[in-house]
Amino acid sequence: MLEQLRLQLGGRHEEPKVAPEVKDVVVLVPGFLGFDHFGGFFYFADRVCGALRGALEVKLGRPGLVPVIPVTSRPTASLAECQASLIVFLKKVVQQFPSANLHLVGHSTGGVHAQLLTSARPQGKDRWDDEDLDPVSGWRPRIRSVVSLCAPHWGTYLAHSDLARLVGSGVEPGSVTAIPPLFNLLRLTVVESALSAFDLTFATVTELWGFFLDVGNNRKLIDALTPESMAEVRDRDRSAGPRHPARLRSFVTVANASDDSDPFFLDLHKRAANTASGAPSRIAAEAIRRLEDELRLHAQGGPPRPCRVIKFPDSPAGPISPSSNDGVVNTAHQLVDPGAPEELAAIVVADHADVIGHYDRWELRAARPGEEVRWSRFKRGLFRSGSRFRDEQFFELYAAIADELLPAMTAGAARSSAPPTDRADRADRARPAAPSAPPPAEG
């Protein structure tokens, strides 16, 4: 069903069926590079859609009626070009689900793209188009919530690194040192992930070739993600006027380098930690105080707090410093406004790929027809930071994301002003939910 829906939204069916009974649609926005999948390797691991959709449908009592759809954006294009591409997709979602509100969950740069859709001024233009703002047919009034997950709202020092220069400008004397980690990346994503799943087909190789050609021809996003450039984006966002009143929640990630870390993660972590490579952060000190206060209060115990701490029991969460990061994004740069009391939803001890399902885990496989189903295949994580993020933390994370989306969904269903006006009066379709349980942690 998900693949059919993706094809319809991609324009491969001339007359897609509309689903007027759907009240809320969750759109997963990918980060830097922006792909949906190559062969069997998905940006958002297959369990992300299932975990989030299942949690929402159980909490809302709407079995089968909360679509969670991954979107593809322009790889490494400018913020304005990525935003325009995302808007095209959202318009198709509105056409497909004419009664639905929109809820955006963005990972990494996808969180930046999602949040900037609520800005009073679009990227690269002076004002939003009238059709975007139309209260009945426009996509923008439908945005009810935005969740960002390890998003570089204030940039990342990794964008100043030799690895960024290699991707952005090709091989230069100063970027030669980035070639070894780039080979490690190819090893992890293509050889180990794709071959282990027997998904590296000719079509996959063709997709990869076309994708890297696009990256090579359009590298504007790398420059846009430096702390200096993102500070300018934040200044423009603030000066543009009041944002669209969507509920904003941010999940902040941190992963410490350790003896258990993969060499590729260590390479990235060291480069992201090099805060001397760019201008001092304007936001880091305030963000660090906020994060450290939350960690201290959690360590003291007491009643549950609005901000959660999600981690493997023995994994350290702090201390947080300007150099703390998840292997890609500096931890202190992941809040739009550290002073906003409700924005910080959780501190997650995980690396940049753990949180989208690419962590070390076992998969359920039956070797032959008729044999007992068992946990039979080990699936490597992408970065392997040593955070020890596993199934328990993954399902806790996506239950928390569902909890943060829930108030906007329940409030949105009651708003008579939301399009169309009969939406709040439409009864949910009664269909029993299939029982499910998360698989056991890696053992």
Side-chain angles (χ1 to χ4, degrees):
M1 177 181 177
L2 180 61
E3 183 63 24
Q4 181 183 8
L5 182 59
R6 187 184 293 112
L7 292 175
Q8 289 177 351
L9 293 175
R12 299 193 189 182
H13 292 273
E14 293 182 0
E15 297 181 359
K17 295 180 180 179
V18 297
E21 71 277 12
V22 172
K23 299 178 180 180
D24 296 281
V25 175
V26 179
V27 177
L28 301 179
V29 187
F32 182 73
L33 301 181
F35 64 87
D36 176 13
H37 71 283
F38 292 125
F41 183 85
F42 286 77
Y43 183 98
F44 292 99
D46 51 3
R47 57 180 43 200
V48 170
C49 289
L52 184 53
R53 178 171 181 162
L56 287 170
E57 290 180 352
V58 168
K59 294 173 187 292
L60 289 167
R62 301 183 200 165
L65 294 179
V66 187
V68 178
I69 310 171
V71 62
T72 301
S73 63
R74 292 282 308 281
T76 66
S78 67
L79 289 174
E81 291 167 320
C82 289
Q83 186 175 85
S85 176
L86 181 54
I87 289 172
V88 170
F89 190 89
L90 293 180
K91 288 179 178 178
K92 293 178 180 179
V93 172
V94 170
Q95 181 181 8
Q96 178 75 9
F97 302 101
S99 303
N101 289 320
L102 300 175
H103 307 269
L104 311 180
V105 178
H107 172 256
S108 189
T109 315
V112 176
H113 298 323
Q115 187 275 326
L116 288 176
L117 287 176
T118 67
S119 178
R121 182 183 304 152
Q123 297 296 300
K125 298 194 299 184
D126 292 332
R127 60 188 301 271
W128 295 102
D129 295 339
D130 291 339
E131 63 177 311
D132 298 334
L133 304 176
D134 188 281
V136 175
S137 61
W139 57 269
R140 196 164 180 269
R142 296 170 183 263
I143 297 178
R144 293 289 185 258
S145 60
V146 173
V147 170
S148 73
L149 187 57
C150 47
H153 291 299
W154 288 84
T156 170
Y157 286 101
L158 186 63
H160 280 305
S161 70
D162 52 358
L163 184 60
R165 290 196 300 271
L166 178 63
V167 177
S169 304
V171 178
E172 296 178 343
S175 63
V176 173
T177 55
I179 294 177
L182 188 61
F183 276 117
N184 277 329
L185 171 62
L186 294 175
R187 167 179 59 82
L188 290 170
T189 56
V190 177
V191 178
E192 296 194 11
S193 297
L195 279 180
S196 65
F198 303 101
D199 287 322
L200 191 58
T201 63
F202 176 77
T204 306
V205 174
T206 303
E207 289 174 350
L208 282 168
W209 178 252
F211 173 79
F212 282 116
L213 282 177
D214 197 0
V215 171
N217 291 327
N218 199 340
R219 302 179 287 258
K220 300 173 186 175
L221 188 56
I222 296 173
D223 291 336
L225 291 179
T226 64
E228 298 83 358
S229 295
M230 284 306 301
E232 294 177 1
V233 171
R234 291 289 142 221
D235 288 341
R236 289 195 298 270
D237 181 27
R238 289 179 175 180
S239 65
R243 299 183 185 123
H244 174 70
R247 176 184 172 93
L248 172 64
R249 295 294 183 270
S250 295
F251 287 72
V252 172
T253 49
V254 59
N256 296 314
S258 70
D259 294 338
D260 296 327
S261 301
D262 184 271
F264 178 59
F265 175 79
L266 291 175
D267 284 335
L268 290 180
H269 192 276
K270 179 178 67 175
R271 287 164 170 80
N274 185 15
T275 58
S277 62
S281 172
R282 287 167 30 190
I283 202 71
E286 183 180 2
I288 290 169
R289 284 195 297 271
R290 176 71 193 282
L291 297 171
E292 283 286 303
D293 285 346
E294 288 293 343
L295 292 176
R296 176 178 52 80
L297 291 170
H298 274 272
Q300 292 174 352
R305 295 187 52 74
C307 171
R308 313 182 192 206
V309 175
I310 300 173
K311 71 184 189 73
F312 187 83
D314 295 336
S315 295
I320 306 295
S321 71
S323 61
S324 297
N325 64 84
D326 62 5
V328 176
V329 179
N330 299 88
T331 302
H333 287 183
Q334 297 179 29
L335 292 170
V336 176
D337 183 3
E342 296 183 352
E343 182 188 344
L344 179 59
I347 301 170
V348 187
V349 178
D351 66 48
H352 204 67
D354 284 340
V355 295
I356 51 174
H358 298 297
Y359 55 90
D360 288 353
R361 57 187 171 91
W362 289 92
E363 288 195 334
L364 192 62
R365 287 289 185 272
R368 297 184 183 89
E371 284 193 354
E372 182 181 354
V373 177
R374 62 184 184 274
W375 302 98
S376 61
R377 193 183 76 177
F378 183 70
K379 190 175 181 68
R380 276 183 58 110
L382 184 58
F383 290 163
R384 309 199 81 184
S385 60
S387 68
R388 305 179 74 182
F389 186 92
R390 296 294 184 266
D391 283 345
E392 290 89 344
Q393 291 73 47
F394 175 83
F395 286 102
E396 182 182 358
L397 169 62
Y398 281 89
I401 292 175
D403 285 340
E404 296 301 338
L405 294 174
L406 198 63
M409 290 183 172
T410 54
R415 292 182 183 179
S416 60
S417 60
T421 55
D422 65 339
R423 176 163 25 118
D425 299 327
R426 187 178 290 110
D428 286 340
R429 189 165 53 193
R431 189 163 64 199
S436 62
E442 175 209 341

